[in-house]
Amino acid sequence: MIYLSYTKHLKSMSGGSRYLFSKGILSHASDVPPYRLFLEAHPGAYTTSRTHDNASYLMFWERHIKRLSQSIQILSNSAPQLLFKSHNAASLQPLLSNLPVWQLALKRLVNDSLEKVLPIALKERVGSEELIVNTLVTGNSEELNVSESTSEDNMSKIFDVHVHIETYVPPQFGIRGNGEHLAVGGYGRNVAAAKYSDWVRIRKTLEKLRPPSVTELLLSYNGDQILEGSTTNFFVVSRKEDWDSDDGKAPFDYGNKNSFEVQTAPTTDGVLPGIIRQLVLEVCMKEGITFREVAPSWSKHEIWEEAFVTSILLSQTLIFECF
């Protein structure tokens, strides 16, 4: 296994208030399981957002809605059993007709459900608490079979929207003494382009293999090229390689950003196209920072200057140090 230390990871949200709006019913507190248990128990596509700045807004909500729609489309086409509640889901026809229509209808369904529960959670939050918002969309294969089309009128019958909200206090980052550990200990995900709840159950099995001090597993097909974390995207800041130089490395200048490049595995390698991952690439492009979508190789870690992971639940990216 490869071990890395990094600044403090998000701690368990046990003890926080929980809310669920599902099938027109609002549940609260003791009636609502933690979001991980809820996702494990239901098939479907989901997305995770969170509030920021004293719960003043939801982070990147429009991007989350778009990614949720994309996940539904991908699962419908390639793995309907991960989306629909049915033993015969694998034989269902893809949901490709009137794609813009049902995406717009889905957005309305999700926002309508969110509006039923978010104001209550905001009103009852305490102090510096923020809110984790998980939106799960599960398909009803029986309704799909009797519906003539995936029109806007039929969307509320074909899909169930569940909005789960949980409070938590963001941890303090950047404290060296709070360093924890990661390890490479799992293969890449199937249907990685979509975010689906069954992965929560699968990664729970993987997590049983990790040593006690490890808080996140990095995924790799060969133990060398790192794809992503089980809940995060993985990046390294590497010195550039110059294959024309005698020692195989470019002249190194700490003061010159052109001496470095940011690396992260491409989505074609089987990596979730995370929202924060995309934002990092957009920032690199805007600031003129070189980046390559290539799986970082542990065999070249001696030219890594630092590494970090990204996740919507982290208030900032986590900085790693190898040891």
Side-chain angles (χ1 to χ4, degrees), residues 34-76:
Y35 74 86
R36 290 186 180 91
L37 295 180
F38 178 76
L39 292 173
E40 287 177 25
H42 299 82
Y46 80 101
T47 190
T48 303
S49 185
R50 53 159 288 195
T51 61
H52 184 62
D53 192 18
N54 201 30
S56 60
Y57 63 93
L58 272 173
M59 295 179 67
F60 314 117
W61 183 243
E62 290 300 319
R63 291 184 185 237
H64 281 285
I65 292 293
K66 181 178 179 180
R67 205 265 296 278
L68 181 61
S69 297
Q70 292 169 341
S71 293
I72 292 172
Q73 180 187 5
I74 292 168
L75 294 177
S76 171

Side-chain angles (χ1 to χ4, degrees), residues 23-215:
K23 298 182 179 180
I25 299 174
L26 176 64
S27 303
H28 181 257
S30 60
D31 297 334
V32 181
Y35 74 86
R36 290 186 180 91
L37 295 180
F38 178 76
L39 292 173
E40 287 177 25
H42 299 82
Y46 80 101
T47 190
T48 303
S49 185
R50 53 159 288 195
T51 61
H52 184 62
D53 192 18
N54 201 30
S56 60
Y57 63 93
L58 272 173
M59 295 179 67
F60 314 117
W61 183 243
E62 290 300 319
R63 291 184 185 237
H64 281 285
I65 292 293
K66 181 178 179 180
R67 205 265 296 278
L68 181 61
S69 297
Q70 292 169 341
S71 293
I72 292 172
Q73 180 187 5
I74 292 168
L75 294 177
S76 171
N77 291 339
S78 58
Q81 71 276 10
L82 298 176
L83 178 63
F84 288 90
K85 297 179 292 185
S86 172
H87 296 297
N88 300 317
S91 63
L92 295 174
Q93 294 297 315
L95 277 174
L96 286 178
S97 60
N98 295 323
L99 183 60
V101 173
W102 73 257
Q103 285 183 332
L104 180 60
L106 176 69
K107 180 178 179 179
R108 290 172 179 166
L109 285 175
V110 170
N111 285 336
D112 286 348
S113 296
L114 182 67
E115 290 171 1
K116 298 295 194 304
V117 61
L118 182 59
I120 297 172
L122 288 171
K123 183 179 180 180
E124 297 185 6
R125 58 179 287 274
V126 178
S128 60
E129 288 181 339
E130 298 287 354
L131 305 177
I132 300 173
V133 180
N134 278 278
T135 305
L136 173 70
V137 176
T138 300
N140 292 312
S141 58
E142 292 78 10
E143 292 293 341
L144 180 62
N145 289 333
V146 300
S147 298
E148 295 181 358
S149 67
T150 53
S151 65
E152 183 171 354
D153 291 338
N154 291 328
M155 285 296 293
S156 61
K157 299 178 182 178
I158 297 173
F159 292 113
D160 290 329
V161 177
H162 314 271
V163 178
H164 185 290
I165 297 180
E166 188 164 341
T167 61
Y168 83 113
V169 177
Q172 186 176 2
F173 289 86
I175 300 176
R176 184 175 293 274
N178 287 341
E180 298 183 25
H181 298 82
L182 281 83
V184 173
Y187 293 106
R189 302 184 302 122
N190 293 324
V191 201
K195 190 166 186 175
Y196 53 91
S197 58
D198 197 51
W199 174 246
V200 179
R201 178 187 59 79
I202 295 171
R203 78 177 187 228
K204 186 176 181 180
T205 302
L206 288 175
E207 288 169 356
K208 294 179 181 179
L209 304 176
R210 70 186 187 189
S213 62
V214 171
T215 55

Side-chain angles (χ1 to χ4, degrees), residues 217-244:
L217 288 175
L218 299 177
L219 308 180
S220 174
Y221 290 117
N222 56 17
D224 179 45
Q225 294 173 307
I226 300 174
L227 301 174
E228 61 181 341
S230 64
T231 62
T232 60
N233 286 114
F234 179 76
F235 293 79
V236 303
V237 179
S238 174
R239 298 198 297 270
K240 288 183 179 178
E241 294 178 297
D242 182 358
W243 301 111
D244 295 328

